[in-house]
Amino acid sequence: MSVGILIPVLLVLAALGFVLGKRQALALSDSQKTKLHSLPGYYGQTVALFTAVPALFLLGAWLILQPMAIESRIGGMIPDSVIPEGGARSLVMSDVRRIAGGLDAVLALGGMGEDELVRIGENLSTVRSRLAEVGVALVGDVPPVVFEAARAYRQDVKTGNMAMSVVVLVLAVALGLWAYRRIQPDMRARNVTESFVKSLLIAASMVAVLTTLGIVGSLVFETISFFKIYPASEFFFSTVWNPQFRGGSELGILPLLWGTLYVSLIALLVAVPIGLMIAIYLAEYASKTVRSLAKPAIEMLAGIPTIVYGLFALITVGPFLRDWLAQPLGLGTSSSSVLTAGLVMGIMIIPFVSSLSDDIINAVPQALRDGSYGLGATQSETIKQVVLPAALPGIVGAVLLAASRAIGETMIVVLGAGAAAKLDLNPFEAMTTVTVKIVSQLTGDTEFASPETLVAFALGLTLFVFTLGLNVLALYIVRKYREQYE
Amino acid sequence: MNSISTMITTTTSTTKAATMSESKISARNVQVFYGEKHALRDVNIEIRPRSVTAFIGPSGCGKSTFLRCLNRMNDTIASCRVEGSIGIDGENIYDPKVDPVQLRAKVGMVFQKPNPFPKSIYENVAYGPRIHGLARKKSDLDDIVASALQKAGLWNEVKDRLQESGTGLSGGQQQRLCIARAVAVSPEIILMDEPCSALDPIATAKVEELIHELRSNYTIVIVTHSMQQAARVSQRTAMFHLGLLVEENDTDKMFTNPDDQRTQDYIMGRFG
Ligand SMILES: Nc1ncnc2c1ncn2[C@@H]1O[C@H](COP(=O)(O)OP(=O)(O)OP(=O)(O)O)[C@@H](O)[C@H]1O
Ligand SMILES: [Mg+2]
């Protein structure tokens, strides 16, 4: 039975359990003339949950473990002799899987009977032509053992799936029956279902936590293997970024970090003043109608795909800055520059600053403003001396969030600032950032285990630690600010 | 009840003196609208200088609304419209020539909930004098802050911690800080909207004592829900009901023998 059928069957069983459980509870309460502890539906839910949930978990676990078990068993069947020189066992295994899949297709077409497969070793050539018919082309001589392994693989998958269906269904029915038998009017069915639901919710939140841990874990793992083949001191302190295909690369993070910080700094110089002024206008001066129109319009800036910003930087802002500023001032001739990327990125993060700050300024209690007006302060005095200082921690938080957004940005940099790693102060020079180099190192042609590729993970981890730190700081500040008024 | 009646007898003598002088604030035909809602109808009242006038009345009758008319705080509410005239020292404060910002320096306000700024105690009090340029030198400002805190009866409690945050004080101390903040700009009139409603009895007693002392220099208008408080601190009392000023009288007369039936009912606790 395939998974696609197994899951609906489980759900039907659960629904059946619900109906039966509910009826049983009502019947028992009638015959024993006792009041039910919980609403009848909870008894039904208890049975349904016991039927479906453990079985589904088992199914999930089986689907993960079975392929692993089969791989290792079949892998053991393949002698070292058939593994080609310089190749890997995993390559042969992928052949095995391909052939197994092909055999399935051949059988499905009806070109061959199940019994013929048993003699597969005897007429390899027919098998090969059949496989070719269903689109599985085999290159070179495939040793008979591989065919044998493929056949065993198919067999294992089949038995495994069969066993899975049986075990899962038996478990579902058994647990469902067990829960059904336990129904008594005084059974605390509501508590049972509630703790069940609670565990489900916890499991769901674990998914998010575990994913984060998994991401960090894989980054750390690859970073460690990078530092095994490349000195960490070079990586952190070398001022040269010069990856080579033939080894001997210099992989210093400093030029990239500098580019990241420079671009982000320009972006913040654009976004913070404009964003703050927007926020003050929206929160303190704008009428309700203006605010309800302007706020979504500004937030739309954050919804534009970054590639569109990148194009804007590439074809409009970049050439404009070059023709009107860089060349007349004699500062450069490149149309991609830090300034281009920074300006465009600044526009992109304006809504991060303005929207959050607007909310924060709005959260400053009206009583503080009244107190200031009551003393004869003007509106601008009130804003400058009472509202903004009170909102400042929150605004700092907003700026830090915007900064971590700027640091992680890639597309605008690729198209706006170019890809040359440089340590330079001239904002009209092309430079690049950490994120851009992560992309280019991972999409290169070099072998995965080389420092040129693995450096991407070290870059990623550094960036992650950086933005994580910023986020934690921002959250801490925002939270502290909240406490002040609650 | 005993303490109230003694308080009333002690305040009677001063009331007579106040009756002699002419009014500090005089409101003529004041109407207030919040959008379509007619919140105050045709209010006429004379408020005497250097005395305490209490506004009483059931919730929603327009006490705060009228109080906020006296320093044009209602200007900050977009939907609010005021008609009629309110004269302070003979000048109509709703005249277009009058700058509400200037007016509010002269007519200070203390709010229901203490609302110190999230700044130091010193900065809270120095805020008003700073924006009005009342002090040339740092030492002048220090003097203003100290004397305002003294007048608000807070000096001894905070003189060693002027740089600490004003929000860290107790509720009663915060309210006195707000009074000090209002006093620091040397207003002539101080408006108080239920200044003790968020305070415990001891803090309330302190604020009431303070109002007594401030009366010799300032004209005070206080909104209160407590009859006892009105009786204790004020010389004149005005009773509002459903947007109307139903009676305005000497406090002792008001609480012993009011002219209006509605006042009688309210004081006896029959509504509101
Ligand atoms: N900002 C506002 N917008 C609209 N209506 C308002 C506003 N402020 C007050 N009102 C209305 O005006 C009327 C008078 O309100 P006001 O606050 O003056 O009452 P109050 O006598 O001070 O009541 P309380 O004793 O509860 O403070 C009420 O009906 C109230 O709903
Ligand atoms: Mg009020």
Side-chain angles (χ1 to χ4, degrees):
Chain A
M1 210 183 276
S2 75
V3 180
I5 302 173
L6 203 50
I7 289 177
V9 168
L10 280 179
L11 294 181
V12 168
L13 279 178
L16 195 70
F18 178 83
V19 174
L20 289 179
K22 186 172 166 181
R23 207 158 66 190
Q24 170 79 347
L26 284 172
L28 282 177
S29 115
D30 278 350
S31 68
Q32 301 180 4
K33 305 234 176 311
T34 43
K35 224 171 132 285
L36 289 174
H37 168 270
S38 316
L39 289 174
Y42 283 114
Y43 294 87
Q45 276 181 32
T46 307
V47 178
L49 286 171
F50 270 100
T51 310
V53 176
L56 283 174
F57 270 106
L58 180 72
L59 181 63
W62 196 297
L63 286 176
I64 295 169
L65 293 178
Q66 172 174 304
M68 285 155 75
I70 294 179
E71 292 269 315
S72 76
R73 200 182 83 83
I74 304 293
M77 280 174 60
I78 297 172
D80 286 342
S81 56
V82 301
I83 295 170
E85 191 78 23
R89 184 173 294 267
S90 59
L91 288 180
V92 182
M93 272 312 291
S94 80
D95 265 349
V96 169
R97 276 194 301 270
R98 234 153 45 87
I99 295 169
L103 290 178
D104 280 342
V106 169
L107 283 183
L109 274 179
M112 202 158 56
E114 191 79 46
D115 48 336
E116 277 178 76
L117 270 186
V118 183
R119 302 186 306 274
I120 193 165
E122 295 166 14
N123 47 359
L124 274 183
S125 51
T126 14
V127 174
R128 182 171 299 177
S129 63
R130 286 283 161 75
L131 282 177
E133 280 168 27
V134 296
V136 180
L138 295 175
V139 196
D141 268 342
V142 179
V145 260
V146 173
F147 277 106
E148 206 47 49
R151 203 170 62 83
Y153 182 90
R154 269 193 78 239
Q155 203 58 47
D156 278 6
V157 170
K158 240 170 98 178
T159 356
N161 283 351
M162 181 68 88
M164 175 177 79
S165 308
V166 170
V167 172
V168 165
L169 286 180
V170 165
L171 182 77
V173 171
L175 281 181
L177 271 181
W178 180 74
Y180 179 81
R181 297 272 307 273
R182 275 191 9 144
I183 291 179
Q184 285 298 324
D186 61 350
M187 179 181 143
R188 304 187 165 197
R190 179 165 40 92
N191 307 25
V192 173
T193 56
E194 258 157 32
S195 51
F196 229 106
V197 168
K198 194 171 121 199
S199 346
L200 270 183
L201 295 180
I202 292 174
S205 52
M206 286 308 283
V207 171
V209 174
L210 289 179
T211 314
T212 314
L213 285 183
I215 292 173
V216 176
S218 70
L219 273 181
V220 169
F221 182 76
E222 302 292 355
T223 304
I224 289 173
S225 41
F226 169 67
F227 284 138
K228 277 190 193 139
I229 49 180
Y230 193 85
S233 58
E234 285 275 303
F235 174 70
F236 285 117
F237 300 114
S238 162
T239 56
V240 180
W241 174 269
N242 183 20
Q244 300 285 327
F245 287 116
R246 294 258 158 262
S249 311
E250 286 181 275
L251 302 170
I253 192 175
L254 287 181
L256 308 183
L257 220 46
W258 168 246
T260 298
L261 294 181
Y262 203 178
V263 174
S264 307
L265 181 77
I266 293 176
L268 288 178
L269 284 180
V270 173
V272 171
I274 297 181
L276 263 185
M277 286 193 268
I278 292 174
I280 292 171
Y281 172 70
L282 287 182
E284 299 286 331
Y285 292 96
S287 69
K288 270 218 178 73
T289 7
V290 172
R291 186 163 189 268
S292 67
L293 291 176
K295 207 172 175 192
I298 292 165
E299 277 165 7
M300 225 160 63
L301 282 178
I304 298 175
T306 55
I307 184 76
V308 176
Y309 279 108
L311 290 176
F312 178 56
L314 182 72
I315 60 178
T316 314
V317 181
F320 176 85
L321 288 179
R322 181 194 56 200
D323 297 343
W324 294 93
L325 281 174
Q327 280 180 341
L329 293 174
L331 285 171
T333 53
S334 156
S335 72
S336 16
S337 66
V338 173
L339 193 59
T340 308
L343 283 179
V344 175
M345 199 191 284
I347 294 168
M348 182 191 74
I349 60 175
I350 283 175
F352 286 79
V353 179
S354 72
S355 226
L356 281 171
S357 304
D358 173 41
D359 291 342
I360 286 156
I361 292 175
N362 259 317
V364 172
Q366 182 62 30
L368 286 185
R369 295 186 182 90
D370 285 348
S372 173
Y373 292 137
L375 290 169
T378 62
Q379 187 166 17
S380 71
E381 284 165 343
T382 302
I383 292 169
K384 270 190 308 228
Q385 303 194 32
V386 175
V387 177
L388 285 185
L392 189 66
I395 292 173
V396 171
V399 170
L400 289 183
L401 285 180
S404 65
R405 182 67 217 266
I407 287 174
E409 180 47 43
T410 312
M411 263 314 157
I412 296 177
V413 182
V414 177
L415 296 177
K422 240 178 271 172
L423 263 173
D424 201 323
L425 272 174
N426 182 354
F428 294 102
E429 280 288 338
M431 279 182 218
T432 197
T433 62
V434 177
T435 49
V436 173
K437 282 302 162 194
I438 292 178
V439 175
S440 62
Q441 291 314 106
L442 278 178
T443 49
D445 274 343
T446 38
E447 195 190 334
F448 188 78
S450 69
E452 286 74 23
T453 308
L454 286 177
V455 69
F457 294 94
L459 290 175
L461 191 62
T462 315
L463 205 60
F464 176 79
V465 170
F466 222 82
T467 45
L468 186 73
L470 273 184
N471 274 315
V472 169
L473 193 64
L475 284 179
Y476 170 79
I477 292 174
V478 170
R479 185 162 315 148
K480 239 188 116 171
Y481 162 79
R482 287 233 178 87
E483 280 164 8
Q484 211 175 329
Y485 295 118
E486 270 164 13
Chain B
M1 251 357 230
N2 204 6
S3 66
I4 297 179
S5 46
T6 54
M7 190 64 78
I8 290 170
T9 46
T10 56
T11 52
T12 322
S13 52
T14 49
T15 319
K16 291 214 177 90
T19 328
M20 306 293 163
S21 51
E22 59 183 65
S23 50
K24 180 81 176 167
I25 306 174
S26 72
R28 299 273 150 73
N29 307 331
V30 173
Q31 316 263 0
V32 181
F33 302 84
Y34 289 110
E36 291 298 295
K37 186 179 161 61
H38 201 164
L40 273 184
R41 295 161 192 274
D42 211 20
V43 174
N44 288 286
I45 190 172
E46 306 290 323
I47 292 172
R48 298 166 190 185
R50 295 180 203 283
S51 71
V52 179
T53 303
F55 289 175
I56 60 170
S59 191
C61 65
K63 307 178 295 290
S64 301
T65 302
F66 186 61
L67 195 72
R68 291 165 63 90
C69 288
L70 300 181
N71 67 344
R72 292 187 57 179
M73 275 300 273
N74 283 334
D75 291 13
T76 60
I77 298 170
S79 67
C80 184
R81 203 172 86 242
V82 180
E83 289 174 7
S85 75
I86 295 175
I88 292 184
D89 294 333
E91 189 190 16
N92 180 11
I93 59 169
Y94 280 90
D95 191 294
K97 286 199 304 261
V98 171
D99 179 3
V101 168
Q102 293 293 314
L103 171 71
R104 291 184 199 132
K106 185 167 156 185
V107 187
M109 191 162 202
V110 176
F111 297 82
Q112 177 170 0
K113 245 183 83 194
N115 57 351
F117 302 130
K119 299 168 181 280
S120 72
I121 294 170
Y122 182 93
E123 286 300 324
N124 262 282
V125 182
Y127 179 76
R130 275 223 177 94
I131 55 178
H132 294 295
L134 298 184
R136 288 268 162 78
K137 299 194 299 270
K138 174 86 168 79
S139 60
D140 291 351
L141 194 59
D142 290 348
D143 291 345
I144 293 176
V145 169
S147 95
L149 284 169
Q150 269 153 5
K151 283 185 196 150
L154 196 60
W155 178 247
N156 287 330
E157 286 157 76
V158 301
K159 63 171 184 273
D160 302 322
R161 40 193 284 216
L162 289 175
Q163 297 312 320
E164 284 174 33
S165 171
T167 48
L169 295 172
S170 76
Q173 289 173 327
Q174 288 188 10
Q175 195 61 301
R176 280 181 283 146
L177 179 62
C178 292
I179 295 175
R181 192 171 73 180
V183 165
V185 288
S186 326
E188 294 165 22
I189 301 168
I190 300 177
L191 309 174
M192 301 185 173
D193 194 350
E194 302 183 41
C196 301
S197 65
L199 305 184
D200 67 83
I202 294 172
T204 302
K206 281 206 171 140
V207 172
E208 287 180 6
E209 204 178 302
L210 177 59
I211 294 173
H212 259 299
E213 283 161 20
L214 293 175
R215 174 160 57 93
S216 49
N217 293 313
Y218 304 93
T219 304
I220 296 174
V221 184
I222 177 173
V223 172
T224 176
H225 273 186
S226 152
M227 307 303 144
Q228 287 90 334
Q229 185 170 63
R232 282 195 297 265
V233 302
S234 71
Q235 287 79 56
R236 297 281 291 179
T237 300
M239 160 78 190
F240 289 80
H241 185 223
L242 298 176
L244 291 170
L245 173 64
V246 298
E247 180 173 357
E248 197 250 333
N249 225 326
D250 283 345
T251 299
D252 48 357
K253 169 100 171 34
M254 194 88 158
F255 284 100
T256 49
N257 182 23
D259 292 336
D260 194 284
Q261 184 59 37
R262 287 166 292 186
T263 315
Q264 176 91 33
D265 289 349
Y266 181 64
I267 289 167
M268 301 309 274
R270 271 182 229 138
F271 62 76

